[in-house]
Amino acid sequence: MKVLVIGGGAREHALCRSLSLDPDVTALYCAPGNAGIGEVAELCPVDALDGEAVARLATELEAGLVVVGPEAPLVAGVADAVRAAGIPCFGPSREAAELEGSKAFAKDVMAAAGVPTGRSYVCTTPEEIDEALDAFGAPYVVKDDGLAAGKGVVVTSDLDKAREHALACGGRVVIEEFLDGPEVSLFAITDGETVVPLTPAQDFKRALDGDEGPNTGGMGAYSPLPWADPKLVDDVMATVLQPTVDELHRRGTPFAGLLYAGLAITSRGVRVIEFNARFGDPETQVVLARLQTPLAGLLLHAAQGTLDLEPPLRWRNDAAVTVVVASHNYPDTPRTGDPIEGLDEVAAQDAPHAYVLHAGTKRDGGAIVSAGGRVLSVTATGQDLAQARERAYRAVARIRLDGSQHRTDIAREAAGE
Ligand code: AMP
Ligand code: GLY
C-alpha cells in the first residue's frame, strides 16, 4: 500500500516512522513534511489546506491511503476532497471535525450524548461575558470558540485578564467551570461506529518546569500512566468515546478518524476538557512508540469503515517518554534558522531506544536548521518510565541548538523521582 501523510510536525514524523516500519507500506510520502520526515518518506510540496491539490497529489501517487495529521486541513475539508476522489482517507469530514473546530459545537454534542464535561456558557456580548464570569467565579476559564493553535484558552484568577481575553476573542467565547485534577489524553480510532481506544498518555502543556509559564502546544509526554485507575479506559469508552461517536452518527455526520479526548480526572469523576479531531502532539510520539500492531492496516480499517475486522491491538510492555526541544522565545516569538547539531550522535549512540522526531526543522544546504517553535521531540522507550526518561534526557543533552529550551521534569513524578 502507498500512503500519503499530510502535515509536517513531530506527530507526522511519528506517524511516518511507524508507517515506514509496517511491511504492508510499499511507498511513503509526506506533504509538506520536514527534514527528519524526509529520511523515511518522500516529501511532496503541496498546500496542505487545499483539498483539491491534496486529492490530485494522492491520485497521481496512486495512494491507497491518505492520513491527515493536523486539525486545520480537516476543518478545511481536506478529508472530504480526498474521499471524493475515491481514495480512503484517515481523518474526519469537515462537519465532524467541528468537534475540534468549534468548542460550542463540541459542548452541544456532549450535552446531547450525556458526556460529562464542565458546565459552560457560550457568550457573544460583553454583558453575557460578565454574567458568565460572575456566575463561575475564579479561577476563570475562557476559550475562543474557534481553532487557535493552543493559544485560545486562558485560565486565570485575574478577572480583568479573563475579561480582556474574552473580548479579544472577538466572536463567540466559551466560559467554563474550572476543572481540577490531573489531565489525561486518551485517543480512539473510529470508523464512525466501531471505536478502538489507544493507550492513555499525559501531556505537559505549560512551557516551564513545575507547570509554570504560558500554555504551549505541548512540551513533553509519557505513557503509560502508572497512577491512573486501571478502569479508566473502559470508563471513558463507555461514558465519553462511544456516546460521542454514536451521537455524531445519529446526526448524519459520522466521525471517522482519531477522536482525542482531553480529560480532567476530578474528585467528582472524569470530565472532558476538550475534543480534538486528530492525533495529539506530542502524545502520539509516546503512544505510537508503544503500539505493536502495524499502523497502516489499522488506519485503513478506520478509513474504510471496517474497524470491526481489526484484531485486538497489541502493545509493548515498554514505557515511553518524549521531551520537546523548543526554540528560543517559544511560544511567544520563536526564533528560527538556528543550526541543529548532535543528531548524528543520538543516532549513533542512543538508537534504537532513543530517537529524534523532527517538528520545526528544514534542510539548509548541508545543515539542518530550526524552522518553528517546537523543533524536536526526543523520544525514548525503556522497561519503565525511569529508564525511558533517563534515555530521553541523555539524548536531549547531545542536541545543540542555540537558545533552545526544554522542560527537565517530563514524567519525573510519574517515574517516582
Ligand atoms: P484546551 O485547548 O481546551 O485543551 O485547553 C488548554 C489547557 O487549558 C488544557 O489542557 C487545560 O490545562 C486548561 N483548561 C482548559 N479548560 C479547562 C478547565 N475547564 N478547567 C481547568 N483547566 C482548563
Ligand atoms: N498535545 C495537545 C494537542 O495535541 O492538542
Side-chain angles (χ1 to χ4, degrees):
M1 183 190 345
K2 298 180 178 178
V3 183
L4 169 63
V5 175
I6 304 300
R11 162 187 48 211
E12 286 76 24
H13 195 175
L15 287 164
C16 285
R17 180 176 185 274
S18 291
L19 290 166
S20 73
L21 297 171
D22 183 336
D24 284 341
V25 175
T26 52
L28 185 59
Y29 306 94
C30 186
N34 60 37
I37 295 175
E39 287 171 20
V40 290
E42 189 177 319
L43 303 186
C44 311
V46 76
D47 177 0
L49 294 178
D50 181 342
E52 296 309 320
V54 171
R56 225 172 13 250
L57 174 67
T59 305
E60 277 164 23
L61 295 172
E62 298 177 337
L65 174 67
V66 175
V67 179
V68 182
E71 61 274 20
L74 293 168
V75 171
V78 167
D80 306 81
V82 172
R83 275 192 282 271
I87 298 170
C89 185
F90 182 82
S93 67
R94 184 181 58 73
E95 281 176 303
E98 278 298 284
L99 211 50
E100 173 164 3
S102 164
K103 296 196 186 285
F105 176 78
K107 286 288 187 189
D108 184 60
V109 170
M110 284 190 268
V115 169
T117 183
R119 287 175 296 123
S120 65
Y121 294 106
V122 180
C123 308
T124 48
T125 67
E127 292 74 32
E128 285 173 357
I129 288 168
D130 282 336
E131 273 171 36
L133 291 172
D134 198 38
F136 288 128
Y140 305 100
V141 181
V142 181
K143 302 184 173 186
D144 194 337
D145 179 50
L147 286 187
K151 294 185 188 136
V153 178
V154 164
V155 181
T156 175
S157 290
D158 182 330
L159 180 60
D160 291 333
K161 278 201 184 125
R163 192 184 284 128
E164 195 183 313
H165 179 64
L167 295 172
C169 289
R172 276 199 299 189
V173 184
V174 176
I175 294 181
E176 188 175 280
E177 159 190 23
F178 178 76
L179 298 171
D180 207 0
E183 287 179 38
V184 171
S185 302
L186 182 61
F187 303 162
I189 307 276
T190 173
D191 61 3
E193 291 184 67
T194 301
V195 183
V196 175
L198 303 185
T199 189
Q202 191 171 45
D203 177 20
F204 292 73
K205 287 217 164 74
R206 300 292 189 117
L208 307 175
D209 280 6
D211 290 334
E212 302 283 337
N215 255 325
T216 70
M219 293 299 286
Y222 68 91
S223 177
L225 313 180
W227 51 269
D229 184 339
K231 294 196 301 295
L232 178 73
V233 175
D234 288 346
D235 181 24
V236 175
M237 261 299 276
T239 61
V240 175
L241 298 167
Q242 191 71 56
T244 301
V245 168
D246 291 347
E247 172 62 18
L248 285 164
H249 190 261
R250 194 188 65 72
R251 291 181 183 212
T253 52
F255 184 103
L258 189 125
L259 178 58
Y260 167 142
L263 306 163
I265 315 295
T266 76
S267 53
R268 289 171 295 131
V270 171
R271 299 282 183 276
V272 174
I273 291 186
E274 63 162 348
F275 280 130
N276 292 318
R278 37 86 194 163
F279 280 98
D281 189 348
E283 298 96 311
T284 300
Q285 288 84 303
V286 290
V287 170
L288 293 185
R290 301 186 56 227
L291 180 68
Q292 224 167 353
T293 299
L295 187 61
L298 173 63
L299 302 185
L300 185 64
H301 272 316
Q304 290 185 318
T306 50
L307 199 53
D308 55 329
L309 301 179
E310 178 75 24
L313 299 185
R314 287 176 293 116
W315 296 94
R316 292 193 179 86
N317 275 330
D318 290 356
V321 170
T322 193
V323 178
V324 171
V325 176
S327 51
H328 184 62
N329 260 338
Y330 175 74
D332 292 340
T333 47
R335 190 175 77 198
T336 59
D338 289 307
I340 305 164
E341 286 167 16
L343 298 170
D344 294 346
E345 290 156 46
V346 175
Q349 297 180 55
D350 302 313
H353 300 298
Y355 48 92
V356 178
L357 298 168
H358 291 218
T361 70
K362 66 173 188 188
R363 282 199 175 274
D364 185 5
I368 293 181
V369 302
S370 61
R374 291 189 291 177
V375 181
L376 304 170
S377 203
V378 180
T379 307
T381 55
Q383 61 191 17
D384 54 23
L385 285 172
Q387 190 180 45
R389 200 176 122 71
E390 188 196 322
R391 286 172 170 167
Y393 278 108
R394 197 185 309 145
V396 167
R398 297 193 210 278
I399 307 282
R400 296 177 298 281
L401 168 64
D402 191 32
S404 74
Q405 40 165 334
H406 63 267
R407 280 182 64 156
T408 66
D409 62 351
I410 304 301
R412 182 158 65 197
E413 208 179 316
E417 291 168 19

